[in-house]
Amino acid sequence: MAAQIWGSEKRARRRREISAKIAQMPELHDSKPLPFMTREEKIMESARKLTILTEKMGQIIDPTDPAELYHLNNEVLGLEGNPMALHGVMFIPALSAQASDEQQAKWLPRALRREIIGTYAQTELGHGTNLQNLETTATYDLATQEFVLHTPQITALKWWPGNLGKSSNYAVVVAHMIIKAKNYGPHPFMVQLRDEKTHEPLPGITIGDIGPKMAYNIVDNGFLGFNKYRIPRTNLLMRHTKVEADGTYIKPPHAKINYSAMVHVRAYMLTGQAIMLASALNIATRYSSVRRQGQIDKSQPEVKVLEYQTQQHRLFPSIARAYAFQFAGAETVKLYEHVLKEMKSGNVSLMADLHALTSGLKSVVTYQTGEGIEQARMACGGHGYSMASYISEIYGVAIGGCTYEGENMVMLLQLARYLVKSAALVKSGQSSKLGPLVAYLGVKSEPTSLIDRIPNSGFTEYVKTFQHVSKRQTLKAADMFFGLMEKGEKREIAWNKCSVELNRASRLHTRLFIVEAFVRRVNEIADIRIKEALTDLLHLHVNYELLDIASYALEDGFLSASQLDYIRDQVYLYLGKIRPNAVSLLDSWEFSDIELRSVLGRRDGNVYENLFKWAKSSPLNKTDVLSSVTQYLKPMMEKARL
Ligand SMILES: CCCCCCCC/C=C\CCCCCCC/C=C/C(=O)SCCNC(=O)CCNC(=O)[C@H](O)C(C)(C)COP(=O)(O)OP(=O)(O)OC[C@H]1O[C@@H](n2cnc3c(N)ncnc32)[C@H](O)[C@@H]1OP(=O)(O)O
Ligand SMILES: Cc1cc2nc3c(=O)[nH]c(=O)nc-3n(C[C@H](O)[C@H](O)[C@H](O)COP(=O)(O)OP(=O)(O)OC[C@H]3O[C@@H](n4cnc5c(N)ncnc54)[C@H](O)[C@@H]3O)c2cc1C
């Protein structure tokens, strides 16, 4: 199963080897539990491990393999981030995709050797989503052949970029490029921020940390201001766009090609989210198979809480989602790598499809991951609320994904643009022009769903039902939009008035893609035992998801009430079937105790001993009487007794 999750036998084996090596290297372990550290201590601890990794990485992993790097990162540095998180996730990808060969030769080897640390500075205090209204300017000075970076007012301060505050000395900065008083829109520039020897900010640069956040606090998200700060013309990233010495602008082959670093993260973060969801579920499911509370049959002893149907219903559909996200994520990364290769050689024809797909997936996956993690936390009762479970930290980090790389509502609306264009093709009889991901919009569906009507139809009728509701909602939202415009509404106003319905269409389309990715994967599996276990999980997935969106299929009578009863019964049937495999389905992800960082979810299952040991090690328990008591509470009580 690990091979299915991680993509191949070899990958699963390598993960085990890497975990085993790390287990033997105490210098790479947390020196004490992270929840007992201050933010400064965590940052220090992370930097300590990071420098050891830089020395020893080659002994543990193949540093050119992103999957091995990611695993090493999760084990040693953990999900709360590290001082170079953005260096690998965005700085290097931005340089790789947007710098010219000559620029790459100058900067990439230095970045890869970690001679310099970089980040991606785009968002500002006043604008994140609406890139067209960013305020930082890069004005070309023809006389010196330099760009002058400037922050015209407080709202133009860069705000949020990870590791910008304290760790990075370089950044890819996005600024509006102005040449001879003409604004060419946001463009990426390579900018040095700090002196390479002293790490002091360079003159003209104001920089710092934005303060503690809901989670992800090892990362020093930062602010940055420029006071007429000059950089050479050749620091504009020039793979696709060029500015010649005389100020001549050569436009890129696609207007949004400079957005590629964002698409990169959107494509890769899906598996990151799946891992966080599976981690939280692993903790909760292990704990639920140890925790005994109450009786189902009063004549019998107390049961493991995992025996309760409500507990299974809380956890198992999310287990199915974690697998589904992992499989959909793997497909998306493959597509991304393909499009990136094409893009580098000038073929931009697939960019729109990739953008639409990743926008939808990013939104649905992060939202459902957050839901699943929070349910996992509640499923642990009181102990879920303790940092000993570590689930609240996992939640805090994962939920950030709903916001970063494009706020979810906004990204769903990006997919909706693509769906509406596709709907227009269908309506004008040009269905043959539809891309493969939306081809179903042009296919006529049966009048009613055939779920429960055709024996041994596998998952086909489920997929057709998802297709039907997605198509119907897309056409309905598009009709609403076109209708408003026909009535004379301005395009943007009409769009806003339909945006809730449009986003519903985007979610349904994305959920269809996820279901199809799961079906495709199960169909490929040769090992009969693995296929059986995953088929059970897929049954739970299709029935649970369909029940969740049933109102869309009921409103036009595509599903009947009796079919809905059947679907509901299937959910209960598969909850029971999955119960014996539940812990194994999560243990198959092979997270080590080091990586999970959860006292509650340790592999040994000694929950109570581990919790008591953990509580005793709390810094508050170093002394029996705290100074808060001697200084304040004791005098208060004494005064009251007089
Ligand atoms: C195995 C290895 C595993 C490795 C795993 C690593 C995974 C990591 C996992 C966890 C790690 C956690 C790390 C956390 C790090 C967090 C880092 C966070 C960074 C950031 O947040 S950076 C800032 C991100 N900011 C945004 O995303 C801003 C969002 N806004 C936008 O993107 C845009 O403004 C917009 C798209 C909403 C709108 O842009 P614009 O106004 O310019 O365009 P429109 O007018 O709306 O559309 C016009 C047209 O363009 C099309 N379009 C838009 N974007 C694209 C694109 N990217 N590609 C192609 N086409 C695009 C759009 O669809 C329109 O087309 P049509 O006119 O409809 O045809
Ligand atoms: C953990 C974390 C890490 C980050 N790292 C980085 C980084 O490394 N580099 C970087 O540059 N940035 C980074 N960011 C910033 C992040 O990319 C932005 O916060 C994000 O893009 C959302 O933009 P915003 O904050 O402007 O939200 P806003 O756009 O102000 O969103 C507020 C509300 O307005 C709604 N809204 C906005 N526009 C529309 C619209 N057109 N239609 C409908 N509704 C709309 C949204 O849906 C939301 O409900 C990070 C953020 C976080 C939380």
Side-chain angles (χ1 to χ4, degrees):
M1 190 63 91
Q4 278 306 322
I5 294 167
W6 301 113
S8 68
E9 289 283 355
K10 185 178 163 220
R11 283 232 171 281
R13 195 185 66 244
R14 284 292 297 147
R15 278 178 53 89
R16 274 173 228 136
E17 288 167 1
I18 293 165
S19 299
K21 278 188 197 160
I22 294 166
Q24 300 304 316
M25 300 173 81
E27 69 275 29
L28 291 180
H29 303 172
D30 301 342
S31 58
K32 62 178 173 182
L34 293 177
F36 292 148
M37 291 187 202
T38 63
R39 185 168 177 226
E40 287 79 359
E41 283 173 328
K42 283 187 194 179
I43 292 173
M44 187 67 112
E45 172 77 347
S46 188
R48 177 187 72 75
K49 289 187 283 183
L50 190 76
T51 46
I52 300 175
L53 279 186
T54 303
E55 292 292 313
K56 298 194 177 170
M57 189 155 20
Q59 299 166 26
I60 311 171
I61 60 158
D62 167 5
T64 62
D65 183 329
E68 293 200 3
L69 255 171
Y70 192 53
H71 180 48
L72 179 74
N73 179 75
N74 282 353
E75 284 257 356
V76 178
L77 301 169
L79 50 80
E80 294 184 51
N82 66 78
M84 290 182 71
L86 266 288
H87 184 80
V89 169
M90 288 198 90
F91 180 64
I92 289 179
L95 290 180
S96 307
Q98 291 165 19
S100 66
D101 289 343
E102 200 182 324
Q103 291 175 319
Q104 287 189 10
K106 187 170 164 195
W107 295 315
L108 260 185
R110 298 195 73 208
L112 290 167
R113 281 197 300 269
R114 300 184 169 187
E115 269 180 44
I116 57 173
I117 301 177
T119 183
Y120 183 80
Q122 179 176 284
T123 307
E124 296 174 355
L125 193 49
H127 289 95
T129 295
N130 185 4
L131 300 182
Q132 301 303 335
N133 275 33
L134 291 178
E135 296 177 80
T136 306
T137 48
T139 308
Y140 188 56
D141 180 346
L142 206 68
T144 59
Q145 292 185 26
E146 289 172 316
F147 282 104
V148 184
L149 290 170
H150 192 60
T151 305
Q153 54 183 337
I154 187 166
T155 47
L157 282 172
K158 293 292 169 193
W159 200 274
W160 271 113
N163 307 127
L164 172 68
K166 296 288 161 189
S167 310
S168 300
N169 51 5
Y170 281 79
V172 169
V173 172
V174 179
H176 273 267
M177 185 164 70
I178 298 165
I179 307 171
K180 296 178 192 162
K182 180 169 175 192
N183 189 339
Y184 288 88
H187 282 77
F189 298 86
M190 173 71 163
V191 183
Q192 183 174 356
L193 306 171
R194 293 174 177 271
D195 183 281
E196 283 196 25
K197 284 205 181 94
T198 64
H199 204 67
E200 290 292 338
L202 292 170
I205 301 265
T206 304
I207 196 165
D209 174 70
I210 64 167
K213 305 167 295 272
M214 180 171 169
Y216 205 51
N217 277 307
I218 297 182
V219 174
D220 45 317
N221 291 77
F223 61 80
L224 167 67
F226 298 105
N227 184 9
K228 303 200 173 126
Y229 184 76
R230 289 178 169 267
I231 55 170
R233 171 183 63 91
T234 48
N235 277 32
L236 164 70
L237 299 190
M238 294 220 218
R239 173 162 291 277
H240 309 292
T241 312
K242 290 179 186 52
V243 171
E244 290 175 350
D246 66 358
T248 306
Y249 177 79
I250 299 165
K251 69 174 196 186
H254 188 292
K256 306 299 170 191
I257 205 159
N258 290 332
Y259 293 180
S260 73
M262 290 180 274
V263 181
H264 170 262
V265 185
R266 287 174 201 144
Y268 272 94
M269 68 191 272
L270 307 173
T271 50
Q273 291 277 324
I275 289 171
M276 288 189 269
L277 179 55
S279 302
L281 292 165
N282 200 5
I283 296 163
T285 308
R286 280 180 180 170
Y287 173 68
S288 299
S289 67
V290 171
R291 179 70 161 184
R292 288 180 184 273
Q293 188 94 245
Q295 292 133 301
I296 293 176
D297 176 344
K298 290 290 172 206
S299 67
Q300 297 297 313
E302 282 197 302
V303 293
K304 296 172 177 176
V305 293
L306 199 54
E307 306 305 346
Y308 291 115
Q309 195 186 47
T310 48
Q311 188 81 347
Q312 296 169 6
H313 192 249
R314 199 168 218 182
L315 296 171
F316 298 174
S318 288
I319 301 180
R321 282 182 177 174
Y323 274 84
F325 298 164
Q326 185 75 347
F327 299 152
E331 285 193 7
T332 310
V333 164
K334 246 190 214 163
L335 177 67
Y336 168 77
E337 296 297 344
H338 173 67
V339 177
L340 183 71
K341 211 168 123 209
E342 293 292 305
M343 224 169 78
K344 279 183 174 170
S345 54
N347 176 10
V348 292
S349 59
L350 285 172
M351 272 179 59
D353 301 70
L354 179 68
H355 172 58
L357 178 68
T358 50
S359 298
L361 279 170
K362 180 260 174 218
S363 308
V364 170
V365 166
T366 54
Y367 184 77
Q368 294 189 344
T369 293
E371 272 186 333
I373 296 175
E374 181 57 356
Q375 282 300 321
R377 188 191 64 74
M378 288 193 252
C380 297
H383 298 321
Y385 195 69
S386 164
M387 284 298 286
S389 77
Y390 208 58
I391 299 181
S392 64
E393 188 65 46
I394 301 175
Y395 177 78
V397 175
I399 207 75
C402 294
T403 305
Y404 65 65
E405 294 311 343
E407 210 287 322
N408 277 358
M409 295 297 161
V410 176
M411 299 323 288
L412 287 169
L413 286 169
Q414 284 290 310
L415 168 57
R417 289 175 76 113
Y418 182 86
L419 293 178
V420 166
K421 274 189 176 178
S422 306
L425 287 176
V426 175
K427 284 173 188 303
S428 59
Q430 301 179 77
S431 296
S432 61
K433 291 189 180 159
L434 290 168
L437 296 175
V438 281
Y440 69 93
L441 294 177
V443 177
K444 196 168 170 347
S445 68
E446 280 113 5
T448 56
S449 172
L450 296 177
I451 287 175
D452 187 30
R453 303 288 188 258
I454 303 181
N456 304 323
S457 63
F459 297 104
T460 312
E461 297 311 321
Y462 282 91
V463 170
K464 283 188 185 167
T465 306
F466 278 99
Q467 286 177 337
H468 173 83
V469 291
S470 176
K471 174 181 165 182
R472 188 164 161 273
Q473 179 63 22
T474 294
L475 298 182
K476 188 174 155 188
D479 274 346
M480 190 175 163
F481 171 59
F482 295 135
L484 282 173
M485 281 199 300
E486 273 162 27
K487 283 188 194 144
E489 203 78 86
K490 262 176 74 183
R491 189 179 177 86
E492 295 76 12
I493 306 294
W495 185 260
N496 191 39
K497 284 187 174 169
C498 303
S499 54
V500 171
E501 290 303 319
L502 288 165
N503 275 1
R504 289 190 170 137
S506 292
R507 287 191 200 94
L508 290 170
H509 170 80
T510 305
R511 291 174 79 161
L512 163 67
F513 177 85
I514 293 169
V515 164
E516 286 182 313
F518 202 160
V519 173
R520 277 193 288 273
R521 177 62 76 90
V522 167
N523 285 342
E524 280 168 11
I525 298 173
D527 184 310
I528 199 77
R529 290 162 318 147
I530 300 297
K531 192 170 185 126
E532 219 171 89
L534 280 183
T535 302
D536 284 348
L537 209 53
L538 179 54
H539 273 292
L540 178 64
H541 187 65
V542 292
N543 284 291
Y544 181 87
E545 301 298 322
L546 198 47
L547 202 55
D548 198 41
I549 58 164
S551 62
Y552 293 98
L554 289 171
E555 62 188 9
D556 69 338
F558 193 68
L559 271 184
S560 66
S562 76
Q563 283 173 309
L564 205 62
D565 282 338
Y566 170 81
I567 291 167
R568 209 175 275 121
D569 286 346
Q570 291 292 104
V571 169
Y572 305 140
L573 174 74
Y574 282 97
L575 289 180
K577 277 199 174 188
I578 285 161
R579 164 65 189 96
N581 279 338
V583 174
S584 308
L585 280 166
L586 291 158
D587 281 353
S588 300
W589 291 67
E590 300 186 336
F591 300 122
S592 69
D593 284 347
I594 290 179
E595 177 174 0
L596 274 189
R597 291 176 169 81
S598 170
V599 178
L600 204 63
R602 283 196 198 141
R603 191 170 274 265
D604 67 13
N606 292 330
V607 169
Y608 300 121
E609 290 85 344
N610 290 333
L611 276 179
F612 191 33
K613 219 166 114 195
W614 191 80
K616 281 194 288 190
S617 73
S618 164
L620 288 190
N621 291 327
K622 273 193 187 142
T623 160
D624 275 332
V625 183
L626 288 181
S627 47
S628 59
V629 174
T630 46
Q631 222 173 308
Y632 296 108
L633 303 185
K634 202 160 147 283
M636 178 193 75
M637 290 188 285
E638 282 164 359
K639 199 171 159 195
R641 278 187 218 125
L642 287 177

